[in-house]
Amino acid sequence: MISLSLLSVFVPTFFMVSLTPGMCMTLSMTLGMTIGVRRALWMMLGELVGVGLVAVSAVVGVATLMLRYPEVFAMFKWVGGAYLIYLGVMMWRSKGRLAIPEASDAVPDVSRVQLIVQGFVTAVANPKGWAFFIALLPPFLESGRPLAPQLVALVGVILTLELTCLLIYAGGGRTASRFLRRSGNVQLLNRIAGSLMVGVGIWLALG
C-alpha cells in the first residue's frame, strides 16, 4: 500500500490545495449561508464524485484527451459558469430557490438532485482542479507497485481532505448566516451570497 513517509508529504500538500479558496469552497460557503450545512451535504456529495472522477481521469490519461479538444472544456466552463451567475443574480434580487426568505423559519426550496448536479458540474468543470491533479497526483504514485491500489488509497485520502475543507467553509457560511439573521439583514445576506455565486460563475467561465 502507501508508505507512511509518502503520506506525510501527500496529506499536508493536498490539504493545503483543498483549503485554498476556489470555486468549490466558495460554493460550499455560499450554500452554508443560504441553505445550511446539512442540506449543503448533497452538493458536497456531487462535488466529491466530480473530484474523484477528475483525479482518476488525470492519472489514466483522459485529461490529455480533453486538453486536445478545448472546445469541450470550454463548453463545460461556459454552461456551468452561466448557470451559477444566473443563480447569483436571482439570490442578489432575493428571488429563486437558493435565496433566503424573509421569514426566519422558512427554508429555501432546492432539491437534492439540483444540489448534487451543481456540486458535480462545479468540480468537473474546474480547470484549476484538473491542473492540480495532473501536476501533483502522478508524482506520488510509485512505479514499482500496482497502480490501482495506490490510486484507490490516494483518491480516498483526497476525498477525505476535500470533505473536511468543504465542511469548514460551509460552517463558516452558516456562522455568517446566523449573525446576519440576528441583525435582520436577510437582504444583505442574499446579496453577499449572490455576489459570491456570481464571482464563482465568472471565475468558472473565464478561468
Side-chain angles (χ1 to χ4, degrees), residues 35-135:
I35 65 175
V37 177
R38 181 175 297 180
R39 297 190 65 191
L41 289 173
W42 293 104
M43 181 281 297
M44 297 179 196
L45 174 61
E47 197 269 349
L48 291 176
V49 172
V51 167
L53 177 62
V54 171
V56 173
S57 298
V59 173
V60 300
V62 176
T64 303
L65 180 62
M66 289 189 65
L67 292 176
R68 291 179 181 176
Y69 299 94
E71 64 275 7
V72 176
F73 214 31
M75 181 186 67
F76 273 110
K77 290 168 57 180
W78 281 101
V79 172
Y83 177 64
L84 293 179
I85 291 171
Y86 166 77
L87 291 177
V89 170
M90 295 300 291
M91 291 166 64
W92 211 89
R93 298 174 59 191
S94 297
K95 296 180 179 180
R97 293 184 174 183
L98 288 182
I100 294 287
E102 292 293 334
S104 60
D105 58 347
V107 178
D109 180 21
V110 57
S111 72
R112 296 173 179 178
V113 174
Q114 288 175 312
L115 291 171
I116 292 173
V117 171
Q118 189 173 6
F120 179 81
V121 170
T122 303
V124 172
N126 183 2
K128 179 182 176 182
W130 284 95
F132 272 127
F133 285 123
I134 292 172

Side-chain angles (χ1 to χ4, degrees), residues 184-197:
N185 295 324
V186 178
Q187 186 179 37
L188 176 60
L189 171 60
N190 279 323
R191 291 185 174 183
I192 292 174
S195 298
L196 290 172
M197 190 72 76

Side-chain angles (χ1 to χ4, degrees), residues 8-44:
S8 67
V9 178
F10 182 84
V11 171
T13 298
F14 275 85
F15 180 73
M16 292 308 300
V17 169
S18 294
L19 195 60
T20 302
M23 294 188 301
C24 294
M25 296 304 151
T26 303
L27 178 61
S28 182
M29 183 173 65
T30 300
L31 292 180
M33 293 174 67
T34 55
I35 65 175
V37 177
R38 181 175 297 180
R39 297 190 65 191
L41 289 173
W42 293 104
M43 181 281 297
M44 297 179 196

Side-chain angles (χ1 to χ4, degrees), residues 10 14 55 59 132-141 151 154-155 158:
F10 182 84
F14 275 85
V59 173
F132 272 127
F133 285 123
I134 292 172
L136 294 179
L137 186 53
F140 286 97
L141 298 170
L151 188 56
L154 292 179
V155 170
I158 289 171

